[in-house]
Amino acid sequence: MRQWTIDAFAAAAFRGNQACVLEPMAAWPDAAWMQALAAENNQAETAFLLRTNDPARFGLRWFTPALEVPLCGHATLASGHVLFSELGAAADKLTFDTQSGPLTVRRAGEGYEMDFPAQPPTKVAIPTGLADALGVEPVEVWASTYLVAVLKDEAAVHACAPDLAALEAVSSGATGGRGNVGIAALADPGRPYDVVDRFFAPGSGIPEDPATGSLHTILTPLFADKLGRAWVRFLQAYPGRGGDLDCELAGDRVLLRGQAVTVLDGTLRVAS
């Protein structure tokens, strides 16, 4: 079967976040096989698609090199890109049935728009050990499916070099075992984005993720409230790459917009 590598949340190759996407299958392979392939690919996510009787609707599952995850934004965007741009899907909107419910991807200008459930965070006391693990004192901390530390400025986000083992231990206790942490700050004046952020995911087997859709379902309601408007432009500042996400809070949903680029089209030579 065919497999593509896609740079998601990127307008050009070698930016954003990589995802491997397999061509749609007639039935789900064994989960152990999917996990083994994801480990072999060694990208943040490998996306598996399931055909249905509706040409605009697919099952979708995501695996990191270490485990299956319940929600992944960039691999959903990559999956929509493959179906639209590589396989010629005629629909204007695609629906994916996932562990997080139905998710949609539609064409939007030069890119795509995804409709995800918002995950508004709750402000919490700064967990013991978090500042030491990050190497910087947060201004405030919020908790949802991930822990989010708001830092004092953009420079602090860029300079952060956490102790990942300590960070996983601290955040696992604060978020029910996920072990993943986002950091964010308002951007410096004059930037073409509103918020700069990064995401460390040792709990998912990923030291740092380049562009993370699921993180922004937490950050969008948080910073929409801070900025007093529904739309927020984010730069996820992974060193050397970076991802661009335009997000909008729409009630209890978040609209995530971005582009994607195909960087590899290959043939998988092992059977499922």
Side-chain angles (χ1 to χ4, degrees), residues 72-93:
C72 178
H74 85 276
T76 303
L77 183 68
S79 298
H81 173 77
V82 163
L83 291 166
F84 281 129
S85 297
E86 301 296 335
L87 296 177
D92 289 328
K93 182 174 75 172

Side-chain angles (χ1 to χ4, degrees), residues 185-264:
L186 291 172
D188 293 341
R191 300 293 199 194
Y193 45 86
D194 303 303
V195 177
V196 61
D197 60 77
R198 292 170 68 187
F199 184 56
F200 306 101
S204 298
I206 304 165
E208 181 172 358
D209 200 40
T212 313
S214 57
L215 172 66
H216 292 84
T217 65
I218 301 170
L219 294 182
T220 298
L222 174 60
F223 282 95
D225 181 66
K226 289 180 178 295
L227 293 168
R229 50 180 161 84
W231 58 272
V232 186
R233 297 163 299 176
F234 293 93
L235 170 69
Q236 188 162 337
Y238 181 90
R241 288 185 73 94
D244 305 304
L245 300 91
D246 290 335
C247 302
E248 182 179 349
L249 185 63
D252 62 354
R253 310 290 292 184
V254 173
L255 305 179
L256 300 101
R257 303 182 183 99
Q259 299 184 51
V261 179
T262 302
V263 295
L264 188 150

